[in-house]
Amino acid sequence: MANIKLIASLVTILMVFSYTTQQTTSTIDTNSSRVIQVKGGPDSVIWVVQLSDLHFSVHHPQRALDFINFVGPTLSFINPSLVLITGDLTDGKSKDLLTMKQDEREWVEYQTVIEDVVKKSGLNMDIFYDVRGNHDNFGVPYVGDSYDFFSKYSVNAQVGRTGKVNGVTLQTGKRRHLFVGIDSTMAVGLRGPTNLFGHPTDILLRELDSELSQWDTEPTKPVTKISFGHFPLSFSATTESGKTLKDIFLKHSISAYLCGHLHTRFGKNLKRHHQPGNNSIQLNIYQPPSQSSPSASSENQEFWEWEMGDWRKSRAMRIVAIDRGHTSFVDISLTSGFKETFILPTFPLDSRLMWRSSLSTEYERQTVDQSDYMIIRALVFSSTPLLSVVAQVYDSQFGAFVSVLEASMTKLEFDNSRGDLYAAPWNYKAFEDPNPERYWLQIEAIDIYGKSTLTDLRPFSINGVRGLISWTWKEFMVMGCQWAALYLPILWLCLGLFLFVLLMPIAMTSVSDKQYTLQNFLVNKNFINGVGWVSTELFRLRLVWYGVLGYLIYVVLFPWLCGLVLTDSNERGYMSYKGWVIAQPNVSSRLEYIAFPDIMVIVIPHLVFVVFPSLLLLTGFAMESEMYRIHLLALSGKKQDDHCDTSKSCAGRRWIRKFLILVCLGILYRHYKSCRALMKAYEMNPILHFPVYSLWFPLLLAYALYRTHRV
């Protein structure tokens, strides 16, 4: 009886996954978006490959060699419907990493490598889609310039895709799968480091909105929408009208936005769930629903943002699958070389990365297709024949993983197969549980040589309850903070704090006749006396005090740098806290305040790691000098200008001063490295092109050292 049920289940699987063979056709719509009729089975699943941050470099040829040796053969047996390369195709950096501009040799290498990969994989070049990253835009004055090598050597250029928004629809017999790539690099590509953010425009958002809307008037087939680009939304600026990419993605409730840019050095959980709400800071991967959007339509507005690792060091590759509208992915590392087998479970979904927050309600109301739940499914890609594929389900209720299901998976056969989809029937209702991390799935494939390949254990939730993932602090910093919105608040907070410290002694003496001295503080130790004494000591070094105040005024009102920001251009631009002002290429007018907020990579570190510690250090020198003076008076019992010998105490030997000098050397070294990097990046002389930035605080510290040497 059990065998009869198993046979019946397998027949059901084949019926569910039966399909009609499709002819391969491509058409061009009026909006220039391609439609690819997907050929072969399984008809219910499509899959694509994403690569990002290749950083091909003349100084690191191994990156391109590994790409040829590993990616081409791997793509040949994965056989994806699309290959998405999400930016930073070339490195554009000098060997010391300090000068950033285009090098045509890297682009020739990129073109050659892609052609080689196309040949080894057996795929058509027109299914490869690449987009610009910030490295591909270093020093490029405008699209079409002689240094715009992307427009000459990229895949998009070679197949005739010239727009900043490019869409392609993968159409099966039952569904449409829309992929839209976006290029949000800045219109005038400055050299790094002030070329870090994506800069979408209102025009780009309108084009993106139009591209994502193309199937909305044809509801006969459900559509799964995915967008891909280079920049995470945390590193994307707003448009001229204050709109964001997030607004468009929420409007269309795309399944996922695939991006790169950050690399794996910041962590492996570079993922973020978005819902309506204007969150400058999101503390966890999951954004809570906005309280100001209670309508039913807004409840379904959500999407995932999935940043992937880099090829540069991690040799990362991602396979993304859409199975009956459910999106899942697996990340692969090829650092150890070519791998023979990859497994991507497509159902049940990882409970931590489920798309819809409303799945739990839909499951309870039985509004979802229950046939989707009847089968465990996984795509298995292998360059060698397989002996077996087995699904294991573990129960973690009591703290240990206990196997509760072991199911042999059967490869579904098709007349014209694009890939291997394995399936196993199961009683899914047995795994309903309010805890989304109770049950865990793992799939094992064994090839004819006995080599075993295991997936990572992943929790699943049949009834749609979402599990949780937490960010590390580094992941939070790069994914949870909307830096374009935070730049000015951080800037004004820093400047306000510095001004508060400087003006505090004036404010305190204006409201009170009390003298804030070390002697008074030692007699009556409280917070007010301590703060008053500390701030007063700095105020007594009048030249230093006025120097710091003058620098704060300079930071707000005057340019910081004057450098060359375009490749091989003799026109210098200048940078203030608002951005760069440069001569517009081929036009007599000037571009004002571009690269905002990219310039924060110079402004904020300078204020936080140079100005702020220098201000503390200057105060420390003033305090130590007064402490030493009081120490001498206590020893001598004489007047202030009398001579006496110092003791062997800490104050007498001035160990505090010696420690402060060591800290001072550390700050100056940090400042020197920053100035050296800027000199290389923008071909500047510190005396001629940024004297105040480079010399002001070193001179103030030197003067403070001299002034406090004797009492």
Side-chain angles (χ1 to χ4, degrees):
M1 186 69 179
N3 290 335
I4 294 174
K5 288 184 177 180
L6 178 60
I7 293 171
S9 298
L10 291 175
V11 171
T12 302
I13 293 173
L14 295 177
M15 292 178 63
V16 169
F17 285 93
S18 63
Y19 75 103
T20 302
T21 303
Q22 306 292 332
Q23 298 298 318
T24 303
T25 58
S26 296
T27 60
I28 305 297
D29 292 344
T30 55
N31 60 3
S32 299
S33 176
R34 298 178 61 219
V35 177
I36 298 177
Q37 194 76 28
V38 177
K39 177 184 177 182
D43 188 53
S44 61
V45 187
I46 64 101
W47 58 93
V48 305
V49 163
Q50 181 192 2
L51 295 148
S52 192
D53 296 86
L54 313 185
H55 290 272
F56 288 170
S57 169
V58 294
H59 308 294
H60 301 279
Q62 194 62 42
R63 297 172 189 171
L65 290 175
D66 286 350
F67 199 87
I68 292 173
N69 294 332
F70 303 151
V71 174
T74 301
L75 290 179
S76 68
F77 68 83
I78 292 179
N79 190 30
S81 297
L82 294 174
V83 179
L84 314 175
I85 309 177
T86 51
D88 282 357
L89 315 178
T90 63
D91 201 37
K93 284 188 175 184
S94 59
K95 192 171 184 178
D96 62 5
L97 307 180
L98 298 180
T99 303
M100 306 174 210
K101 56 184 179 180
Q102 299 305 300
D103 189 328
E104 190 169 10
R105 294 173 296 172
E106 296 176 348
W107 284 98
V108 172
E109 180 179 56
Y110 172 73
Q111 182 186 46
T112 304
V113 168
I114 293 297
E115 290 172 351
D116 193 286
V117 167
V118 168
K119 291 178 183 177
K120 288 186 176 181
S121 66
L123 302 173
N124 293 324
M125 183 176 284
D126 61 1
I127 72 166
F128 285 71
Y129 280 72
D130 50 14
V131 297
R132 279 185 180 89
N134 56 312
H135 283 248
D136 308 318
N137 200 34
F138 282 156
V140 179
Y142 54 89
V143 173
D145 180 74
S146 59
Y147 287 97
D148 177 22
F149 298 126
F150 181 91
S151 295
K152 181 178 180 181
Y153 295 106
S154 68
V155 174
N156 278 10
Q158 293 178 69
V159 299
R161 304 184 201 116
T162 58
K164 284 183 169 289
V165 177
N166 292 285
V168 57
T169 300
L170 302 177
Q171 185 164 280
T172 64
K174 299 176 180 179
R175 300 188 67 90
R176 294 187 177 104
H177 311 84
L178 175 61
F179 291 80
V180 180
I182 54 174
D183 172 9
S184 61
T185 53
M186 58 175 61
V188 178
L190 305 186
R191 296 188 192 180
T194 54
N195 186 341
L196 185 66
F197 282 69
H199 290 263
T201 62
D202 285 324
I203 294 175
L204 183 138
L205 292 193
R206 285 196 295 269
E207 292 179 3
L208 176 61
D209 185 26
S210 174
E211 198 73 21
L212 290 171
S213 303
Q214 62 182 282
W215 299 114
D216 291 356
T217 57
E218 300 182 33
T220 54
K221 289 185 178 180
V223 182
T224 301
K225 302 177 182 180
I226 289 180
S227 186
F228 60 96
H230 180 64
F231 300 95
L233 299 189
S234 54
F235 282 83
S236 293
T238 59
T239 67
E240 309 90 296
S241 62
K243 296 180 181 178
T244 65
L245 288 169
K246 177 181 174 179
D247 298 332
I248 305 301
F249 293 155
L250 284 174
K251 176 182 176 181
H252 294 276
S253 287
I254 66 173
S255 289
Y257 171 57
L258 310 177
C259 58
H261 191 54
L262 294 178
H263 301 200
T264 52
R265 69 175 179 269
F266 290 107
K268 294 184 178 181
N269 285 325
L270 300 180
K271 308 167 183 72
R272 182 174 174 179
H273 179 255
H274 294 270
Q275 287 187 284
N278 211 0
N279 296 68
S280 297
I281 295 178
Q282 184 171 315
L283 297 178
N284 211 329
I285 288 180
Y286 307 100
Q287 177 180 336
S290 172
Q291 299 300 317
S292 60
S293 303
S295 65
S297 61
S298 67
E299 290 178 3
N300 296 327
Q301 290 185 339
E302 56 183 312
F303 68 94
W304 274 100
E305 177 184 1
W306 292 332
E307 201 269 358
M308 77 161 290
D310 58 288
W311 179 265
R312 178 177 178 264
K313 286 189 176 180
S314 303
R315 302 297 191 264
M317 174 187 287
R318 171 177 288 169
I319 307 173
V320 181
I322 304 175
D323 181 352
R324 301 185 180 191
H326 300 298
T327 306
S328 54
F329 67 90
V330 62
D331 286 336
I332 302 159
S333 174
L334 299 177
T335 51
S336 58
F338 179 78
K339 294 184 178 180
E340 292 82 7
T341 304
F342 307 114
I343 306 171
L344 171 52
T346 62
F347 190 84
L349 298 173
D350 188 327
S351 63
R352 300 165 299 183
L353 300 174
M354 290 190 301
W355 174 51
R356 296 280 297 279
S357 61
S358 57
L359 278 177
S360 178
T361 303
E362 292 177 356
Y363 184 82
E364 291 173 1
R365 295 174 180 173
Q366 301 293 306
T367 58
V368 294
D369 187 352
Q370 297 298 303
S371 65
D372 289 357
Y373 292 77
M374 296 168 60
I375 305 162
I376 299 173
R377 303 186 291 275
L379 287 165
V380 183
F381 310 99
S382 182
S383 61
T384 58
L386 298 176
L387 285 179
S388 66
V389 178
V390 177
Q392 291 266 10
V393 175
Y394 296 91
D395 187 347
S396 64
Q397 183 178 18
F398 300 107
F401 288 97
V402 178
S403 178
V404 293
L405 174 67
E406 180 175 322
S408 179
M409 304 187 75
T410 304
K411 184 172 74 170
L412 304 181
E413 300 292 344
F414 304 97
D415 293 335
N416 186 13
S417 177
R418 291 180 287 115
D420 294 339
L421 180 66
Y422 283 76
W426 68 330
N427 178 16
Y428 68 92
K429 287 187 175 294
F431 300 98
E432 293 179 348
D433 196 89
N435 181 359
E437 297 184 2
R438 175 180 175 180
Y439 294 109
W440 295 67
L441 174 69
Q442 186 173 55
I443 297 176
E444 180 183 23
I446 300 176
D447 65 17
I448 58 173
Y449 301 107
K451 184 176 180 180
S452 172
T453 301
L454 284 166
T455 64
D456 293 332
L457 280 165
R458 55 172 66 190
F460 65 88
S461 174
I462 290 299
N463 42 324
V465 182
R466 186 156 54 200
L468 297 177
I469 313 177
S470 296
W471 277 324
T472 65
W473 72 269
K474 286 200 298 184
E475 291 166 346
F476 161 71
M477 290 295 289
V478 296
M479 290 297 291
C481 298
Q482 209 64 33
W483 289 107
L486 293 174
Y487 166 52
L488 285 180
I490 293 173
L491 172 67
W492 295 122
L493 178 64
C494 290
L495 295 179
L497 175 63
F498 302 156
L499 198 61
F500 176 77
V501 171
L502 289 177
L503 298 182
M504 188 186 302
I506 298 177
M508 295 183 75
T509 54
S510 65
V511 299
S512 173
D513 294 333
K514 186 177 180 179
Q515 296 295 317
Y516 294 99
T517 63
L518 177 58
Q519 293 95 323
N520 291 340
F521 172 68
L522 293 175
V523 171
N524 185 12
K525 294 181 180 179
N526 59 53
F527 179 75
I528 298 297
N529 285 340
V531 171
W533 166 59
V534 169
S535 59
T536 301
E537 290 303 328
L538 179 63
F539 185 62
R540 287 174 178 166
L541 290 175
R542 288 302 170 85
L543 188 57
V544 172
W545 188 90
Y546 280 115
V548 175
L549 181 62
Y551 191 79
L552 297 182
I553 295 172
Y554 161 81
V555 160
V556 175
L557 299 180
F558 297 96
W560 292 33
L561 315 172
C562 181
L564 298 176
V565 293
L566 301 176
T567 302
D568 291 347
S569 171
N570 295 323
E571 288 285 341
R572 290 190 176 272
Y574 65 84
M575 190 204 88
S576 71
Y577 80 91
K578 296 180 181 180
W580 282 93
V581 177
I582 66 171
Q584 192 169 357
N586 302 325
V587 181
S588 58
S589 62
R590 300 181 72 84
L591 293 171
E592 294 191 351
Y593 306 130
I594 62 174
F596 179 94
D598 308 66
I599 42 90
M600 72 180 295
V601 299
I602 294 177
V603 174
I604 300 302
H606 179 66
L607 294 178
V608 173
F609 299 115
V610 177
V611 176
F612 180 63
S614 294
L615 182 58
L616 295 180
L617 204 58
L618 292 169
T619 305
F621 282 129
M623 292 168 57
E624 189 277 337
S625 178
E626 176 64 8
M627 291 167 62
Y628 183 58
R629 186 184 72 85
I630 297 301
H631 170 74
L632 293 182
L633 290 176
L635 287 179
S636 64
K638 299 182 179 180
K639 295 182 180 180
Q640 178 180 347
D641 56 347
D642 286 345
H643 174 74
C644 71
D645 295 328
T646 63
S647 73
K648 296 182 180 181
S649 66
C650 179
R653 292 199 173 188
R654 308 194 75 173
W655 290 113
I656 296 177
R657 179 179 176 83
K658 293 173 183 177
F659 171 75
L660 292 176
I661 291 174
L662 287 177
V663 175
C664 179
L665 292 175
I667 294 172
L668 291 176
Y669 179 69
R670 169 73 172 74
H671 185 52
Y672 161 76
K673 288 180 64 177
S674 174
C675 291
R676 180 175 177 271
L678 291 175
M679 288 167 57
K680 289 267 192 174
Y682 301 119
E683 300 181 33
M684 297 185 296
N685 183 302
I687 305 299
L688 299 177
H689 301 125
F690 59 123
V692 178
Y693 177 96
S694 61
L695 300 177
W696 194 271
F697 270 94
L699 291 176
L700 280 180
L701 289 170
Y703 174 77
L705 274 170
Y706 167 76
R707 183 69 175 79
T708 59
H709 178 64
R710 295 181 179 179
V711 296

